[in-house]
Amino acid sequence: MTFAPRKGLMRLAAVSLAAVSLAALALTSVPARAQAPLKIGVLSDFSSVYSDIGGQGNLEATRLAIEEFGGSMFGKPIEVISADPQNKADIAAAIVRKWYENESVDMVIDMPTSATALAGMEMSKQFEKLMIVTDAASSDITGKSCSPYTVHWTYDTYGNAHTVGSAIVKTGGDTWFFITADYLFGHSIERDTGDVVRAAGGKVVGSARHPLNNQDFSSFLLQAQASKAKIIGMANGGGDTINTIKQAAEFGIVAGGQNLAGIVMFISDIHSLGLKLAQGLIITEAYYWDLNDRTRAFGKKFFEKMKRMPTMNQAAIYSATLHYLNAVKAAGTRDTKPVLAKMRETPLRDAFTDNGVLREDGRMVHSMFLFEVKKPEESKAPWDYYKVLAEVPGDQAFRPMKDGNCPYVKQ
């Protein structure tokens, strides 16, 4: 009995010591997290069909944004790492998991295809870390497959379909045949553009689906030719679109009275094709280097690094990175939710857009532009490729949030 108080005191001391140790651990771990370098992961196509529209140019544009911001956060240089998922969803998921879980990456950006984006978004949800999609296009990213931790920045299949598809149907292109990349991106373009065509009173007469990074489009073009459709919609992108157009010229598609619709095209595609082959194409983009003083200023900086003008994806990744860094600074933390809140409450006016607003479903809404590709004799200088036909306000170009069925949006 005489030893009970001593045992009680010993137990009390042990509990107190444990509490002090836990408190000390907590105090040391918070500053360690706060003082760690901010780290951004660029997951891009550096070697395949989409490398021209993103790839090394996306990595360089990310670095330009960091440089413009000042290069450091929390007293340490901002770090950038990169990887190529080979346009495969399982590889993308594995890389993003490793980055979030083992390499202290705070934000992942780019995502070259819709399949890689959706796979990466699952990791983003699991680790509650931010992902900004600048290259993938499926409208499902902010629709039925949306995530509370993902932002979709540049364009999407709904926006492009409504901008280009509507314009072409209004000028008489009311029968369509699609040549479609056989994965989510291509399926989304075909679906969204087909909806626009049918809503305007037109008709989709058929489609042919090809594998990603295809080389021979002859069988698909023969089907399109046989369909007698006025418009052959290219529901693909990058190198696949370029090959489709080149081989369509060999088959005399346009000379025979059918027209091509480039639903998702980039200035790099026009550069690869040349104006002689691309002239007259009606396309939509979110950015063109020669729109205004800010677009020209970024275009010049990018050209100095890459010796070519930026695509809309490369301008977008610069914009998204800079907006993210400013939000982290304003929030005073790298934690995802307060950073996202700052990104949403701050309008965008930069080299990419004059009127950007980030919605609750993750869609960054901004103007889209309808362009016509110039004839060779109309171009006055290198990269002078577009005539502006129209600026389409974001609330007209992009799907209304209430129609997206994003489960994280309060209806």
Side-chain angles (χ1 to χ4, degrees), residues 129-153:
K129 286 193 175 185
L130 183 60
M131 174 169 286
I132 305 178
V133 178
T134 58
D135 282 36
S138 174
S139 57
D140 290 348
I141 290 168
T142 55
K144 64 181 182 180
S145 301
C146 76
S147 161
Y149 306 106
T150 297
V151 171
H152 201 183
W153 206 261

Side-chain angles (χ1 to χ4, degrees), residues 292-310:
N292 55 52
D293 288 343
R294 284 195 301 278
T295 59
R296 284 187 284 271
F298 175 70
K300 181 180 178 182
K301 284 200 298 185
F302 186 90
F303 191 90
E304 288 171 356
K305 297 285 186 179
M306 298 297 296
K307 308 307 176 191
R308 58 190 295 137
M309 284 298 175

Side-chain angles (χ1 to χ4, degrees), residues 251-281:
F251 276 82
I253 296 285
V254 176
Q258 293 173 293
N259 287 304
L260 302 175
I263 305 161
V264 178
M265 289 194 72
F266 302 83
I267 196 169
S268 55
D269 300 333
I270 307 306
H271 188 72
S272 295
L273 288 165
L275 292 182
K276 185 177 180 181
L277 202 54
Q279 61 182 310
L281 279 172

Side-chain angles (χ1 to χ4, degrees), residues 43 89-101 108 111 116-131 147 149-150:
L43 197 70
D90 57 341
I91 296 176
I95 292 170
V96 175
R97 173 183 283 278
K98 179 186 175 188
W99 280 356
Y100 285 146
E101 188 171 33
V108 174
M111 310 309 293
T116 56
L118 292 175
M121 286 164 63
E122 289 303 312
M123 296 299 104
S124 171
K125 282 194 286 187
Q126 183 176 327
F127 290 94
E128 298 185 359
K129 286 193 175 185
L130 183 60
M131 174 169 286
S147 161
Y149 306 106
T150 297

